[in-house]
Amino acid sequence: MIRYLLFILLMVQNLMAYSESPYKIIYQTDTYEIRYYEERLIVETQYLNQNNGFQKLFNYISGNNYQSKKIEMTTPVNVIKIENQFVMQFYLPERYQKNDIPLPSDKSLKISTIEKGYFAVLRYSGFASEKNFRKHRDILKSELNSNNIRILGSAIKATYDGPFTLPNLRRNEAIFLVDWKEPL
């Protein structure tokens, strides 16, 4: 009985669809793809310990904001490591414009934008551990360097699934903002 309930819980969790920012695939290889994204609105927080950002952002979308407004969850959740600090980002649903976003009541949260641009993306499954991410980030970086595609920023770890999703069904991505020029 417990196995059956666990199976149902895992399947329901995997069927829950969260909205995702639209993109256009510009170029694709066997290893990665180049995506073009329009400008996107985010809420973000900076922190030192890798596990400190999620709860603050989750509280914000759960109604802990000045308007006490619940905001639907979107994917992915981004984590960027810059020196010894982490930045975690939640995308805001497309229905929001800059002037109607609920303002965070937590002073450590900031509403910002990710500018439109080209992003190199390597998709992988498994746990969203730092070791698994570094492995795929390094593969992507090596491929981009060998294809003379210039990387413009820090690596982004994007995770799409919750903790109850089976590792082989999880969607994770290693991402770099790139200076995209059509290959010859």
Side-chain angles (χ1 to χ4, degrees), residues 16-22 71-77 91-95 160 171:
M16 291 172 31
Y18 297 114
S19 68
E20 179 180 338
S21 297
I71 302 166
E72 55 274 15
M73 182 75 184
T74 61
T75 58
V77 173
Y91 291 95
L92 294 168
E94 280 189 277
R95 66 184 170 86
Y160 288 79
R171 176 181 172 193

Side-chain angles (χ1 to χ4, degrees), residues 5-42:
L5 290 174
L6 183 58
F7 176 76
I8 295 296
L9 176 65
L10 290 170
M11 293 312 295
V12 168
Q13 198 278 333
N14 284 328
L15 294 175
M16 291 172 31
Y18 297 114
S19 68
E20 179 180 338
S21 297
Y23 58 85
K24 183 177 180 185
I25 297 173
I26 303 298
Y27 179 78
Q28 199 165 11
T29 72
D30 291 340
T31 307
Y32 66 92
E33 58 191 28
I34 303 293
R35 297 178 185 167
Y36 176 77
Y37 286 92
E38 293 291 340
E39 180 179 86
R40 296 163 283 163
L41 293 169
I42 57 168

Side-chain angles (χ1 to χ4, degrees), residues 108-174:
S108 69
L109 301 180
K110 178 177 120 181
I111 302 295
S112 189
T113 59
I114 297 176
E115 298 298 322
K116 65 182 177 180
Y118 296 95
F119 294 82
V121 179
L122 187 153
R123 189 173 177 166
Y124 62 98
S125 61
F127 289 108
S129 68
E130 193 61 25
K131 181 180 177 182
N132 199 15
F133 168 68
R134 281 193 312 265
K135 172 186 164 186
H136 290 90
R137 174 204 62 196
D138 292 347
I139 291 168
L140 178 58
K141 187 175 186 177
S142 175
E143 287 285 320
L144 294 172
N145 287 334
S146 69
N147 291 315
N148 295 315
I149 298 173
R150 192 168 66 119
I151 296 170
L152 298 177
S154 299
I156 301 165
K157 175 170 68 171
T159 57
Y160 288 79
D161 302 298
F164 296 111
T165 305
L166 295 173
N168 61 327
L169 299 177
R170 291 184 184 193
R171 176 181 172 193
N172 305 302
E173 294 174 343

Side-chain angles (χ1 to χ4, degrees), residues 30-68:
D30 291 340
T31 307
Y32 66 92
E33 58 191 28
I34 303 293
R35 297 178 185 167
Y36 176 77
Y37 286 92
E38 293 291 340
E39 180 179 86
R40 296 163 283 163
L41 293 169
I42 57 168
V43 59
E44 67 182 5
T45 188
Q46 295 182 354
Y47 52 96
L48 296 174
N49 176 331
Q50 188 172 2
N51 298 320
N52 283 349
F54 187 87
Q55 193 60 52
K56 289 180 179 191
L57 293 169
F58 187 77
N59 289 344
Y60 166 77
I61 67 170
S62 296
N64 186 13
N65 52 63
Y66 283 120
Q67 289 82 356
S68 299

